[in-house]
């Protein structure tokens, strides 16, 4: 009986531990932040310096908030990371992209926006944080799906 | 369920442009089901590592740019979601 109980516990342990172990790094705290300021703090980027070297290509008016295309290029030398925050979304941080040797600091993605909002892009270059902001107006919000 | 993926990698202005489409619900309502990690490899070497949230649109489409590259180079894109499901696609630069 004891053996059965032990092997059952071991099997359960494997079931519980395995999916967790399979998960890669994901910044729970930054993604769980409910304000852009808190998300930035969790990213270690509380006071990023404004920069014109970060280009944000996005529509000024997005008709459908469920699919808002955003294209980001950092012209800051030595950019290693780009993060996208949608100020007025319930959880502002939408993504963080780390560029290793061999990648250009560029990303294009589609995001959901609940309402018109500033979109902030944080770039890390030479260990320093920089920010650029673009306002996107949304006709129909897209966070219901 | 891990849905199908599509990818196209082409040389553009001397660099490699990677466009990938992932079939995934990316739900914002409970139960949350969304991709958390997307990784890009160039000839087996990790070049982009990303963490994303449920704010990325359903059936995500991403474009990335890799320095240089040549026809026939192997590009792999993989993802992992909050339920531990994953998928990947590999193809050669055209």
């Amino acid at each position: 009986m004891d053996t059965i109980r032990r092997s059952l516990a071991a099997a359960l342990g494997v079931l519980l531990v395995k999916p967790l172990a399979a998960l890669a790094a994901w910044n729970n705290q930054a993604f769980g932040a409910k304000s852009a300021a808190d998300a930035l703090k969790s990213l270690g980027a509380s006071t990023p310096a404004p920069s014109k070297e970060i280009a944000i290509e996005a529509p000024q008016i997005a008709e459908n908030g469920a699919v808002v295309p955003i294209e980001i290029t950092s012209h800051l030398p030595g950019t290693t990371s780009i993060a996208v925050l949608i100020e007025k979304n319930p959880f502002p941080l939408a993504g963080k992209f780390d560029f290793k040797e061999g990648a250009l600091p560029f990303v294009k993605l589609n995001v959901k926006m609940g309402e018109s909002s500033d979109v902030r892009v944080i770039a890390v270059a030479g260990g320093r944080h920089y920010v650029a902001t673009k306002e996107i107006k949304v006709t129909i919000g897209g966070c219901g799906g | 369920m891990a849905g199908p993926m599509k990818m196209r990698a082409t040389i553009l202005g001397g660099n490699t442009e990677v466009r990938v489409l992932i079939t995934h619900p990316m739900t914002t309502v409970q139960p949350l089901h969304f991709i958390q990690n997307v990784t890009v490899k160039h000839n087996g070497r990790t070049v982009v590592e990303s963490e994303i949230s449920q704010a990325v649109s359903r059936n995500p489409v991403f474009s990335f740019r890799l320095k240089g590259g040549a026809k026939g180079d192997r590009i792999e894109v993989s993802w992992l979601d909050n339920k531990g499901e994953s998928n990947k696609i590999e193809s050669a630069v055209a």
Side-chain angles (χ1 to χ4, degrees), chain A residues 22 24-27 31 66-67 93-98 100-104 106-108 110-112 143-145, chain B residues 15 26 28-29 34 36-37 45-57 62-63 65-67 80-81:
Chain A
W26 197 71
N27 192 334
F31 283 107
V67 186
L93 182 60
K96 178 176 171 284
F97 301 85
D98 292 336
K100 318 280 177 195
E101 183 61 40
L104 294 168
F106 164 91
V107 65
K108 187 175 178 186
N110 295 329
V111 297
K112 299 172 199 166
C143 278
Chain B
N15 294 311
M26 299 299 290
T28 310
V29 293
F34 64 100
Q36 293 188 316
N37 295 98
R45 200 161 55 94
T46 300
V47 285
V48 182
E49 268 183 340
S50 53
E51 298 169 43
I52 62 168
S53 81
Q54 63 272 31
V56 169
S57 305
F62 294 100
S63 293
R65 281 181 190 156
L66 314 181
K67 271 180 211 159
L80 178 66
D81 71 19

Side-chain angles (χ1 to χ4, degrees), chain A:
Chain A
M1 193 63 197
D2 210 33
T3 322
I4 293 169
R5 198 178 293 140
R6 249 200 309 271
S7 56
L8 205 64
L12 273 173
V14 167
L15 281 176
L16 289 173
V17 168
K18 221 181 167 189
L20 290 177
L23 293 177
W26 197 71
N27 192 334
N28 242 312
Q29 208 182 357
F31 283 107
K34 290 183 175 170
S35 74
D38 284 348
L40 287 176
K41 206 183 287 172
S42 298
L43 291 172
S46 292
T47 51
S51 173
K52 289 191 168 76
E53 300 301 308
I54 303 165
I56 308 171
E57 291 256 355
Q60 265 182 341
I61 299 173
E63 298 220 335
N64 179 6
V67 186
V68 182
I70 299 180
E71 182 180 308
I72 301 155
T73 310
S74 172
H75 299 291
L76 292 160
T79 299
T80 52
S81 181
I82 284 174
V84 186
L85 291 97
I86 301 156
E87 185 97 11
K88 289 197 181 161
N89 270 5
F91 300 99
L93 182 60
K96 178 176 171 284
F97 301 85
D98 292 336
F99 305 100
K100 318 280 177 195
E101 183 61 40
L104 294 168
F106 164 91
V107 65
K108 187 175 178 186
L109 72 162
N110 295 329
V111 297
K112 299 172 199 166
M113 293 181 64
E115 58 184 302
S116 299
S117 171
D118 275 348
V119 172
R120 290 190 202 290
V121 172
I122 309 294
V124 182
R128 295 193 57 197
H129 293 87
Y130 300 88
V131 63
T133 305
K134 186 182 171 82
E135 192 195 6
I136 301 177
K137 291 198 164 71
V138 174
T139 316
I140 303 164
C143 278

